[in-house]
């Protein structure tokens, strides 16, 4: 994993969506580093030294619009979310959950080779996902089929799952 230099600029833009204005950030190379929804637990907020520039986000804006119009099932964007090695393994496992499907925390734990006892740690890693929607943490549900926490709020999780044709809650 390549870490950005401490003084590297952060670019940001806001993108209108059915979930509210999404805040996207990217590094100088254009790779997306975060996608936050309004009021998100642990979401990012614009800092004074960030540079507002919609240019690096055109592909993301187009793909998000197509996703919300139910015309896109898989994002093809470069993501550069940084976390611990464990979190990055969990996030990579999230990337394998297909559109319109759900999985459980236990299934994600098994995919990353974590013990059954590590399900809480897996939940923590999923909750720390910095690129909501693009990395589909909304597709993770409880072992009993119930909805569980979502940093963007359960109402948004329901809307995303309904958009993808998953059973209604």
């Amino acid at each position: 994993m390549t870490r950005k230099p401490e003084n590297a600029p952060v670019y940001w833009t806001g993108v209108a969506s059915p979930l509210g204005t999404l805040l996207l950030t990217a590094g100088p190379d254009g790779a997306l580093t975060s996608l936050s929804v309004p009021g998100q637990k642990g979401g990012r907020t614009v800092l004074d030294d960030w540079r507002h520039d919609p240019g690096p986000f055109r592909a993301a804006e187009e793909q998000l619009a197509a996703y919300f119009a139910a015309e896109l099932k898989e994002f093809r964007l470069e993501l550069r979310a940084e976390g611990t090695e464990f979190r990055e393994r969990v996030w990579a496992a999230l990337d394998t959950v297909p559109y319109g499907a759900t999985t459980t925390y236990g299934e994600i734990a098994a995919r990353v080779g974590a013990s059954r006892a590590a399900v809480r740690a897996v939940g923590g890693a999923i909750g720390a996902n910095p690129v909501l929607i693009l990395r589909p943490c909304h597709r993770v549900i409880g072992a009993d089929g119930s909805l569980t926490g979502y940093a963007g709020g359960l109402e948004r999780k329901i809307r995303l799952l309904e958009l993808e044709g998953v059973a209604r809650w």
Side-chain angles (χ1 to χ4, degrees):
M1 158 184 51
T2 305
R3 300 226 182 257
K4 73 176 183 72
E6 288 302 314
N7 59 351
V10 173
Y11 296 92
W12 72 274
T13 197
V15 174
S17 85
L19 304 180
T21 301
L22 308 176
L23 171 63
L24 282 76
T25 63
D29 63 354
L32 296 173
T33 55
S34 72
L35 184 155
S36 300
V37 298
Q40 174 183 328
K41 178 183 173 185
R44 298 189 82 179
T45 55
V46 177
L47 300 178
D48 290 340
D49 62 341
W50 288 7
R51 297 178 185 174
H52 182 254
D53 182 358
F57 304 98
R58 284 192 176 86
E61 188 170 4
E62 290 170 5
Q63 289 184 40
L64 284 162
Y67 170 79
F68 286 117
E71 298 167 353
L72 180 80
K73 295 183 178 181
E74 185 177 329
F75 292 101
R76 297 193 187 284
L77 299 166
E78 185 177 352
L79 306 179
R80 181 148 308 113
E82 296 177 357
T84 64
E85 186 265 333
F86 178 76
R87 283 184 174 180
E88 289 183 4
R89 283 195 348 250
V90 170
W91 297 340
L94 288 176
D95 289 338
T96 68
V97 181
Y99 181 97
T102 58
T103 190
T104 66
Y105 294 92
E107 289 168 349
I108 294 290
R111 286 184 197 180
V112 301
S115 70
R116 190 79 186 132
V119 169
R120 274 194 179 286
V122 167
I126 291 170
N129 171 21
V131 284
L132 296 191
I133 305 167
L134 304 175
R135 177 162 286 135
C137 55
H138 59 277
R139 297 178 188 154
V140 182
I141 61 173
D144 63 358
S146 64
L147 291 182
T148 54
Y150 181 62
L154 285 180
E155 312 77 35
R156 288 188 179 109
K157 182 172 188 164
I158 291 168
R159 289 185 71 183
L160 292 168
L161 291 172
E162 288 177 346
L163 170 73
E164 295 185 10
V166 178
R168 297 184 183 272
W169 272 267

